[in-house]
Amino acid sequence: TVRQGDLYCMFCGAPLIDDAERLSMQAERFESMDRWQQAADARLDLAERVDDPGESGRQFHAAGIIQQEQLGDTAAAAQSFDRALDADPSRLKAFESLDQLLVATGDLVEQARSYRRMIRRAIEAGTEDRVVAALARNLAEICRKRLGQPQEALDAIELVLARVPEVTLIGRRDRAIISLMVWGGLGEIELVRADHEDLDREDDGGHWCFENGSHRPSAGAGHNVLRQNI
């Protein structure tokens, strides 16, 4: 069966332009004409048709960028970013895009869920321990500082310590603070923070970047959590 848009040689029956190439050309043409909905649809269609997980993830991510920046459809963009990660869990740029979107919309609960999904994907895909640890520590900071969920934060820190033993100095500090929050009760959180004022002063709000394991200073309120917590 010949699908619409396929061009076939009359003599050999081989496609002159396959679906993937046709859709890629269409997407580029639509983008050049600022026909953004059609461009996004073409890239989503292309993402579903290609066999290579990396290319599929790239196209889902590209569609999400269009949906967010050109169409202003944050729900569709979040779904596309998530589908990019389902296709290719190693596509950290797609997760960064998703994380930035959730920070911008202020949906902290969904942000924590997205970290849990990404951690699961990373573990299942055999991703490097440093990446899993960076994701887990970001999740811990979201749970501890923003959602008031110290037990969930403690679980995430335990994952950090299990994956990257060499970070025990910072990890143990986090575990000590969070453990006191858990066992001391939520009403004593501020007291615990006062007791650990020296430790907190050392924490500049920076993060561990899971791209290279380095520590970076905070860029201020409202920026990507990937770039503030680890």
Side-chain angles (χ1 to χ4, degrees):
T1 302
V2 179
R3 285 177 294 194
Q4 184 179 7
D6 283 342
L7 298 178
Y8 278 77
C9 173
M10 292 177 61
F11 300 104
C12 61
L16 297 179
I17 301 178
D18 64 19
D19 266 2
E21 185 177 355
R22 174 178 60 81
L23 287 166
S24 180
M25 293 170 60
Q26 284 183 346
E28 291 174 3
R29 184 169 69 253
F30 289 141
E31 288 165 6
S32 70
M33 300 167 64
D34 291 345
R35 293 166 62 178
W36 297 112
Q37 185 61 63
Q38 290 164 297
D41 290 343
R43 293 208 176 275
L44 289 172
D45 197 1
L46 177 57
E48 292 173 347
R49 289 173 184 257
V50 295
D51 295 325
D52 177 53
E55 180 61 17
S56 179
R58 188 176 79 84
Q59 294 299 334
F60 276 126
H61 185 205
I65 294 293
I66 293 172
Q67 290 165 329
Q68 180 182 7
E69 297 183 356
Q70 303 299 332
L71 300 175
D73 191 342
T74 56
Q79 184 179 37
S80 293
F81 295 147
D82 213 42
R83 294 181 73 184
L85 294 164
D86 281 337
D88 181 13
S90 67
R91 185 161 290 278
L92 298 180
K93 287 183 179 180
F95 183 72
E96 185 171 350
S97 295
L98 176 60
D99 192 58
Q100 288 175 333
L101 185 153
L102 294 173
V103 168
T105 59
D107 193 342
L108 297 177
V109 173
E110 182 56 33
Q111 187 184 17
R113 289 196 191 106
S114 74
Y115 268 94
R116 292 187 181 97
R117 287 195 300 271
M118 189 60 194
I119 290 169
R120 184 186 68 251
R121 291 185 185 110
I123 292 173
E124 291 174 351
T127 304
E128 293 181 54
D129 283 344
R130 66 181 180 83
V131 175
V132 176
L135 290 165
R137 190 163 190 267
N138 278 355
L139 173 60
E141 290 295 280
I142 294 168
C143 291
R144 175 166 75 101
K145 293 183 177 179
R146 293 165 175 77
L147 293 176
Q149 298 174 342
Q151 183 59 63
E152 288 80 356
L154 182 59
D155 292 342
I157 287 298
E158 294 294 352
L159 179 58
V160 174
L161 295 174
R163 289 275 167 171
V164 188
E166 60 267 29
V167 302
T168 52
L169 179 60
I170 295 177
R172 285 179 179 173
R173 183 206 67 176
D174 289 347
R175 182 166 59 182
I177 294 174
I178 297 170
S179 293
L180 282 172
M181 290 166 65
V182 173
W183 302 117
L186 290 176
E188 299 179 25
I189 289 179
E190 294 304 322
L191 177 60
V192 169
R193 289 187 63 82
D195 289 343
H196 292 80
E197 188 177 7
D198 291 338
L199 289 174
D200 275 346
R201 271 202 296 265
E202 295 173 9
D203 184 357
D204 62 359
H207 76 289
W208 290 349
C209 173
F210 56 59
E211 293 285 358
N212 58 21
S214 63
H215 182 272
R216 299 176 186 172
S218 171
H223 66 289
N224 184 3
V225 174
L226 287 176
R227 295 180 176 175
Q228 76 179 23
N229 291 327
I230 292 187

